[in-house]
């Protein structure tokens, strides 16, 4: 005897076939909803003005904070290369190179 099991992914709003699960939170409660492409777009469109003006939180509930407020590392590396300075392609930029970059751009 053969058994066939069919698993259906159903949109929680309209009962049609769902294409994805969206996870979101509100007032400290986490939710998930299975939706089709149309309903997913509608939800994202409704939330987009709020998301655009919101602060993102880390998993511990605290806001993300940018630790390094200095110049963009790609910009510094490109400048160092143009100046003939030996700057590593990855990792921390040496303090001497960063100081030279800041001195060269302090009037900007």
């Amino acid at each position: 005897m053969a058994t066939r099991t069919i698993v259906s992914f159903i949109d929680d709003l309209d009962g049609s076939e769902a294409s994805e699960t969206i996870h979101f939170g509100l007032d400290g409660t986490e939710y998930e909803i299975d939706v089709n492409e149309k309903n997913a777009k509608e939800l994202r469109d409704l939330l987009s003005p709020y998301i655009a003006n919101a602060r993102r939180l880390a998993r511990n509930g605290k806001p993300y904070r940018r630790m390094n407020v200095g110049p963009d590392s790609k910009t510094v590396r490109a400048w160092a290369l143009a100046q003939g300075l030996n700057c590593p392609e990855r990792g921390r930029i040496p303090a001497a190179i960063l100081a030279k970059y800041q001195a060269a751009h302090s009037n900007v």
Side-chain angles (χ1 to χ4, degrees):
M1 178 194 315
T3 302
R4 177 188 280 187
T5 303
I6 299 173
V7 177
S8 298
F9 194 40
I10 305 297
D11 186 302
D12 293 327
L13 293 175
D14 63 17
S16 66
E17 186 175 339
S19 60
E20 66 180 293
T21 300
I22 296 179
H23 303 269
F24 62 98
L26 181 65
D27 295 334
T29 304
E30 297 295 317
Y31 301 93
E32 71 176 22
I33 187 167
D34 301 326
V35 289
N36 61 30
E37 288 180 25
K38 175 184 161 268
N39 289 334
K41 181 179 179 339
E42 189 175 303
L43 177 59
R44 288 185 174 104
D45 288 346
L46 286 169
L47 292 176
S48 67
Y50 299 96
I51 292 170
N53 291 288
R55 290 175 300 281
R56 204 164 162 212
L57 299 179
R59 288 183 185 233
N60 63 6
K62 295 182 180 178
Y64 280 110
R65 296 193 189 272
R66 183 174 173 180
M67 300 305 286
N68 183 5
V69 187
D72 177 55
S73 60
K74 288 181 182 179
T75 304
V76 175
R77 290 180 206 285
W79 175 86
L81 182 64
Q83 300 301 311
L85 300 172
N86 186 14
C87 184
E89 292 180 20
R90 296 175 51 164
R92 181 174 285 186
I93 296 173
I97 291 177
L98 191 54
K100 288 179 183 180
Y101 175 85
Q102 290 170 335
H105 292 85
S106 62
N107 296 335
V108 177

